[in-house]
Amino acid sequence: MTWAQVYPIVSLLFLSPITLGSPIEADVQHLPPPIETRAVAKRADINCNDINDRKYFNRDTIEPYLNTTTGYCSLWNAAIGGSDITRYYFIGTMEEVQISISRPDATTQHPSGDHCETNLKEILKGCATNSPIKWNRGGNWVVDGWTYNITAQTSRRPVADAPTVRCKWQGNTAQVSGAGWLGSDFGNEMKAQARTFGYDSKVTWVEDFHYELKDDHEWTVSISPAGKGTKDDIEILLGLAYVVSPGADPRTARVPCVEPTKPRET
Ligand SMILES: *[C@@H]1O[C@H](CO)[C@@H](O)[C@H](O)[C@H]1NC(C)=O
Ligand SMILES: *[C@@H]1O[C@H](CO)[C@@H](O)[C@H](O)[C@H]1NC(C)=O
């Protein structure tokens, strides 16, 4: 007789009348553990990064880059061995993130693209903030011995609930600066908005978009009227682009640009 056959009989001898009345429960409690125990990763074990580090990203920006078709997780579908795949996304922006899955003692078993996507998305769910802009802290989580890690690389302004944009005229050019607003792709999203709203031919983008961390902004760009465009068009365009952000009202979409203060006569 094997142990598996003997065990139920032996364990029966020790069962109380109460457990005898519920045989299924008795089985669960008294069977030896399966030979291959596979630890179940608990969501509570996700370690979120500290929001006080001011390193965070927008979930909607990063999530598409996890997909198994062409994103980070497709690399795991193609992987045949190895212990580590690390990639950086949005390099040079405020939302630069490092995504990695690693296991120093890895043998040939590694996560599939689907495991990769599911588990990394669990980190995003577990490490959300309350901000309506869906700022995410990222973090790490150990599943089946593999460490899944999504961590922003750049310290930025404290998390805010609303994006900000400021604008002032310098001659005919609007000097625009902002934070938490269409800024994770070197201004390309703003240009796309201009096209969407038909302002393409009315504005000229001075190619000076850059990221800089200041008290009140994280990026700046210069925009001038073009063709039949006017200063008004720029203020309305900025407003229209701004209303794609949560909480803003499209009916009052306009970002007023400040006129320069006249030098005082002496
Ligand atoms: C998959 O990820 C790539 C980036 O690697 C992104 O361009 C694409 O839009 C994503 N596709 C989906 C369906 O999210
Ligand atoms: C996650 O990645 C960051 C770098 O982006 C690193 O500093 C940190 O130690 C990693 N955490 C773990 C648990 O591997």
Side-chain angles (χ1 to χ4, degrees):
M1 264 192 174
T2 67
W3 175 242
Q5 286 164 309
V6 173
Y7 190 82
I9 298 162
V10 174
S11 60
L12 256 182
L13 300 174
F14 296 97
L15 288 178
S16 71
I18 293 164
T19 44
L20 270 179
S22 51
I24 293 169
E25 198 179 311
D27 271 356
V28 171
Q29 283 171 7
H30 293 272
L31 282 177
I35 291 163
E36 261 193 70
T37 30
R38 198 175 159 90
V40 179
K42 292 194 222 81
R43 293 205 177 90
D45 292 336
I46 296 174
N47 303 303
C48 294
N49 294 327
D50 187 352
I51 199 64
N52 294 318
D53 289 346
R54 298 193 185 177
K55 293 180 178 176
Y56 55 92
F57 55 85
N58 184 290
R59 177 172 173 169
D60 290 343
T61 307
I62 302 305
E63 195 160 15
Y65 287 79
L66 304 181
N67 69 52
T68 58
T69 323
T70 51
Y72 170 80
C73 291
S74 68
L75 302 171
W76 284 99
N77 277 332
I80 29 175
S83 59
D84 181 342
I85 298 179
T86 300
R87 288 289 183 278
Y88 294 83
Y89 295 89
F90 294 100
I91 292 169
T93 77
M94 291 289 155
E95 296 189 84
E96 181 171 332
V97 291
Q98 186 200 70
I99 302 177
S100 67
I101 302 177
S102 59
R103 176 173 188 167
D105 62 348
T107 52
T108 50
Q109 287 284 328
H110 64 76
S112 65
D114 283 346
H115 286 139
C116 167
E117 187 170 342
T118 305
N119 294 331
L120 288 174
K121 283 183 176 173
E122 284 297 332
I123 296 178
L124 296 187
K125 274 186 227 159
C127 299
T129 65
N130 294 329
S131 165
I133 308 183
K134 298 198 200 166
W135 294 131
N136 201 285
R137 294 175 283 165
N140 60 78
W141 192 25
V142 179
V143 182
D144 295 332
W146 291 83
T147 301
Y148 293 67
N149 191 349
I150 309 183
T151 298
Q153 305 293 295
T154 307
S155 282
R156 49 197 297 198
R157 297 165 75 247
V159 170
D161 281 352
T164 57
V165 58
R166 284 189 175 76
C167 174
K168 64 171 193 260
W169 291 113
Q170 219 163 65
N172 215 24
T173 301
Q175 301 288 348
V176 186
S177 62
W181 181 63
L182 306 180
S184 52
D185 59 353
F186 298 95
N188 289 319
E189 179 65 23
M190 272 189 280
K191 290 181 196 174
Q193 292 291 330
R195 270 195 299 281
T196 305
F197 294 119
Y199 281 80
D200 232 9
S201 58
K202 294 178 180 171
V203 300
T204 301
W205 302 87
V206 181
E207 296 297 331
D208 64 353
F209 183 99
H210 65 280
Y211 289 100
E212 60 180 18
L213 188 64
K214 292 282 159 72
D215 282 349
D216 66 349
H217 68 260
E218 296 180 337
W219 54 261
T220 71
V221 67
S222 310
I223 313 172
S224 303
K228 288 186 179 147
T230 63
K231 284 180 161 185
D232 261 9
D233 288 322
I234 290 179
E235 296 190 351
I236 293 165
L237 166 64
L238 289 174
L240 287 171
Y242 180 76
V243 299
V244 303
S245 308
D249 180 355
R251 288 164 302 178
T252 54
R254 185 186 186 108
V255 172
C257 298
V258 180
E259 293 289 349
T261 43
K262 296 219 167 64
R264 254 191 303 165
E265 313 258 334
T266 46

